[in-house]
Amino acid sequence: MRNCRSRMKIFGRLEGTVDFCAKADPGSAPKYRELAKLLVKDVPDKELTEARQTAEYKDSYEGIGTELAKVPKDQAIKACKSSLETKR
């Protein structure tokens, strides 16, 4: 059960971060949506749907958004854009 809760929190943080970046950097929003798909590509849709309905997910999603909103916008956009860079 604990592993399941941890997974819900991780999904919430991931999706909250990507959604924050899409709002902070709307010109790159399609790229962030693609990144979000890649991050959960191996997770069954049913599991994601169920995760999004849990308190753990919602708390993590909202919490990361609150924390990221405290970062100066230019720094947040820079960090978001770096997540889109391909490392080779």
Side-chain angles (χ1 to χ4, degrees):
M1 184 70 161
R2 180 185 161 120
N3 187 28
C4 184
R5 286 185 183 156
S6 294
R7 200 167 190 175
M8 303 307 164
K9 289 180 181 181
I10 292 168
F11 289 152
R13 289 184 67 83
L14 283 173
E15 291 188 333
T17 301
V18 172
D19 287 350
F20 171 86
C21 287
K23 290 175 188 168
D25 181 20
S28 298
K31 292 179 182 179
Y32 295 112
R33 284 192 285 275
E34 285 301 313
L35 177 60
K37 288 179 188 177
L38 285 173
L39 292 172
V40 296
K41 70 177 181 154
D42 294 328
V43 181
D45 288 341
K46 181 180 179 191
E47 186 175 339
L48 284 173
T49 299
E50 290 172 356
R52 290 178 180 130
Q53 295 172 5
T54 66
E56 291 85 2
Y57 174 94
K58 292 175 184 177
D59 289 345
S60 292
Y61 183 97
E62 291 174 16
I64 193 68
T66 299
E67 290 303 310
L68 292 172
K70 296 176 184 176
V71 177
K73 189 170 183 170
D74 61 325
Q75 289 179 4
I77 292 171
K78 185 177 179 182
C80 288
K81 285 187 178 285
S82 73
S83 71
L84 298 175
E85 294 176 5
T86 303
K87 308 290 184 205
R88 292 179 190 228

